[in-house]
Amino acid sequence: MRIVIAEDDPLLREGLALLLRAEGLDVVATADTADGALAAVDAHEPDVAILDVRMPPTHTDEGIVAAVEARRRRPDLAVLVLSAYVEQSFATELLGGGVSGLGYLLKERVGRVEEFLDALHRVAAGGTAVDPEVVAQLFTRSRQDTRLERLSPRERDVLALMAEGLGNSAIAGRLVVTDGAVHKHIRSIFAKLDLSPTDQVDRRVAAVLRYLEDLRRLA
């Protein structure tokens, strides 16, 4: 796995590089600006780009802008964005264009090495990794949506874990229920969110995006 890291904090940037190299991963370049990240992506054609949300010169949304641009240039590039805290508009902006090969994690998750590496590998494989705290806040802020009100508390739990990127077996393990129960809840979620099995879309992705899209409309 070839990785580019863009982070303006030198301690975190170099710490990440050391951690990933110790795991046998190939960190091909590091950068401390969004422009530097894009240049590294163009030059090294990595499999994954790890980007901080806030970077010079304004320390606002440079990382998100770079992530969206990097994906435009290379649609197959997996992107994992790191943020110091939940930034609602940035999460919906990043994930609103599709969730395959995308992740949004809080920086505190990096310190939990096993969780961080699991999220990185999931994103690199084309999956999704959304921080549980991000998911929780997005749900809290989107309760005005009537379709989400159709879901039972357990169905909300399942959808939240789907948004984190977990598969059915992992969801079952987290909730201490059977795989069959999870499958039943997911079928119910699809029905309540009006996602038909004949739709030419991945209903699992569509279910996660549905509340993000509604949240953006309400913001």
Side-chain angles (χ1 to χ4, degrees):
M1 186 192 305
R2 293 164 53 81
I3 301 170
V4 164
I5 299 172
E7 165 62 58
D8 66 309
D9 181 332
L11 184 61
L12 181 54
R13 183 175 65 248
E14 296 309 315
L16 268 175
L18 286 172
L19 168 65
L20 296 177
R21 286 170 176 148
E23 292 293 323
L25 303 176
D26 186 10
V27 179
V28 295
T30 63
D32 59 3
T33 65
D35 288 343
L38 290 174
V41 167
D42 289 340
H44 297 279
E45 299 185 349
D47 302 301
V48 185
I50 300 175
L51 301 100
D52 183 17
V53 166
R54 297 178 180 271
M55 287 191 287
T58 67
H59 294 279
T60 54
D61 64 348
E62 284 86 355
I64 291 294
V65 172
V68 172
E69 174 61 17
R71 292 271 287 194
R72 186 192 68 79
R73 297 181 187 184
R74 294 192 56 220
D76 61 337
L77 176 69
V79 173
L80 180 57
V81 171
L82 303 179
S83 180
Y85 49 90
V86 178
E87 303 185 73
Q88 173 186 339
S89 61
F90 294 164
T92 54
E93 180 180 354
L94 178 68
L95 300 171
V99 298
S100 176
L102 281 176
Y104 188 105
L105 296 181
L106 296 183
K107 287 185 177 181
E108 66 183 45
R109 202 69 54 186
V110 177
R112 304 172 191 177
V113 175
E114 187 174 340
E115 290 183 29
F116 173 69
L117 292 174
D118 177 68
L120 177 63
H121 284 287
R122 194 188 310 152
V123 168
T128 306
V130 182
D131 195 283
E133 183 63 24
V134 175
V135 174
Q137 291 202 30
L138 290 174
F139 268 113
T140 298
R141 294 167 181 172
S142 61
R143 284 178 179 169
Q144 300 175 55
D145 176 61
T146 56
R147 283 173 299 192
L148 290 180
E149 290 176 355
R150 302 175 192 172
L151 303 184
S152 70
R154 178 59 86 185
E155 288 165 353
R156 284 177 175 270
D157 291 341
V158 170
L159 183 52
L161 293 173
M162 287 168 61
E164 288 181 37
L166 301 186
N168 287 14
S169 294
I171 292 172
R174 187 80 68 86
L175 298 178
V176 195
V177 297
T178 65
D179 285 5
V182 171
H183 186 66
K184 179 179 178 182
H185 288 312
I186 291 175
R187 285 204 315 269
S188 179
I189 289 168
F190 291 159
K192 291 180 179 180
L193 295 184
D194 302 323
L195 296 172
S196 167
T198 60
D199 290 343
Q200 299 300 307
V201 296
D202 183 327
R203 288 193 294 168
R204 197 179 188 92
V205 171
V208 171
L209 286 178
R210 182 62 57 85
Y211 78 84
L212 291 173
E213 292 166 356
D214 290 331
L215 175 61
R216 179 186 296 172
R217 224 175 21 247
L218 292 168

